[in-house]
């Protein structure tokens, strides 16, 4: 009689472990549902009351307090325009036209979903800090800050090694982008120089 109880208890523990492991893999390894705009992807349910349990869990894991799509669109990426994984030890050039929105920003996060610590205390570039050229386009750098590059407002410093995620936030985006998020003329992401 004792042996069947032990088998049942073992199966119960194994099923709990497999359930938790499969949920964790789904949340951290399976790509998010959504719409692509260049290298960027936007989840149309982030912050929505209609979001499923997995979307809500992903938002919570990413340490993001998401607003509804009617207020904000969150485009994220973990790779450059060539499909190569973004790495904290590499430098990337991000350029494009400022998105049509009341306010926008690009922020870099480490693989742990936290901001990169840096002496500059600069974690994003956007509406207030993006410098536009004569054609109205912006260009910024993300990666390890070169020696002597202090006070550069168009550079988001990263530290360490490993994966990196970028988030492009659009607060009160233009109605055309809000209705068709894939139509965004998303900023390009290209590797700048050699990557160790």
């Amino acid at each position: 009689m004792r042996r069947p109880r032990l088998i049942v208890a073992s199966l119960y523990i194994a099923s709990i472990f497999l359930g938790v492991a499969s949920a964790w893999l789904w949340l951290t390894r399976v790509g998010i549902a959504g719409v692509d705009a260049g290298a960027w992807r936007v989840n149309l349910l982030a912050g929505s009351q209609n979001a499923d349990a997995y979307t809500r869990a992903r938002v919570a894991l990413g340490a993001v307090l998401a607003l509804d799509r009617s207020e904000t669109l969150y485009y994220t990426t973990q790779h450059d325009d060539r499909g190569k994984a973004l790495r904290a030890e590499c430098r990337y050039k991000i350029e494009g036209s400022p998105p049509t929105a009341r306010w926008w920003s690009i922020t870099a996060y480490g693989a742990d979903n936290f901001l990169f610590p840096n002496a500059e205390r600069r974690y994003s570039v956007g509406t207030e800090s993006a410098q536009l050229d004569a054609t109205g386009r912006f260009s910024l750098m993300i990666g390890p800050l070169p020696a002597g590059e202090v006070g550069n407002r168009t550079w988001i410093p990263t530290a360490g090694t490993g994966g990196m995620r970028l988030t492009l936030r659009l607060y009160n985006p233009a109605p055309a982008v809000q209705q068709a998020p894939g139509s965004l003329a998303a900023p390009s992401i290209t590797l700048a120089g050699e990557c160790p």
Side-chain angles (χ1 to χ4, degrees), residues 95-100 104 130-139 185:
E95 52 190 345
S97 297
T100 308
W104 65 272
Q131 296 176 357
L132 306 182
D133 65 17
T135 64
R137 294 176 58 81
F138 70 88
S139 178

Side-chain angles (χ1 to χ4, degrees), residues 92-133:
Y92 299 92
K93 186 173 192 173
I94 316 288
E95 52 190 345
S97 297
T100 308
R102 181 179 55 81
W103 189 87
W104 65 272
S105 71
I106 296 175
T107 309
Y109 296 92
D112 60 0
N113 291 321
F114 286 96
L115 298 169
F116 289 100
N118 65 80
E120 297 285 313
R121 293 186 172 188
R122 188 175 319 99
Y123 309 104
S124 66
V125 171
T127 302
E128 288 101 21
S129 57
Q131 296 176 357
L132 306 182
D133 65 17

Side-chain angles (χ1 to χ4, degrees), residues 12-161:
Y12 182 72
I13 291 169
S15 66
I16 289 174
F17 174 77
L18 287 173
V20 169
S22 67
W24 182 256
L25 284 172
W26 181 264
L27 293 174
T28 61
R29 302 288 182 239
V30 175
I32 64 168
V35 176
D36 291 331
W40 306 81
R41 180 166 269 260
V42 59
N43 184 325
L44 303 180
L45 293 176
S48 168
Q49 291 180 346
N50 299 324
D52 58 87
Y54 283 112
T55 298
R56 290 174 192 245
R58 278 180 196 261
V59 169
L61 277 175
V64 177
L65 194 57
L67 297 172
D68 187 82
R69 173 182 168 190
S70 64
E71 297 178 61
T72 308
L73 288 172
Y74 303 91
Y75 293 83
T76 63
T77 188
Q78 293 179 323
H79 58 84
D80 64 15
D81 286 355
R82 297 180 314 154
K84 301 284 186 183
L86 297 174
R87 295 173 38 203
E89 64 270 25
C90 303
R91 292 187 176 113
Y92 299 92
K93 186 173 192 173
I94 316 288
E95 52 190 345
S97 297
T100 308
R102 181 179 55 81
W103 189 87
W104 65 272
S105 71
I106 296 175
T107 309
Y109 296 92
D112 60 0
N113 291 321
F114 286 96
L115 298 169
F116 289 100
N118 65 80
E120 297 285 313
R121 293 186 172 188
R122 188 175 319 99
Y123 309 104
S124 66
V125 171
T127 302
E128 288 101 21
S129 57
Q131 296 176 357
L132 306 182
D133 65 17
T135 64
R137 294 176 58 81
F138 70 88
S139 178
L140 65 104
M141 295 294 291
I142 294 177
L145 200 59
E149 192 72 40
V150 178
N152 186 339
R153 292 180 31 202
T154 61
W155 195 299
I156 302 172
T158 61
T161 60

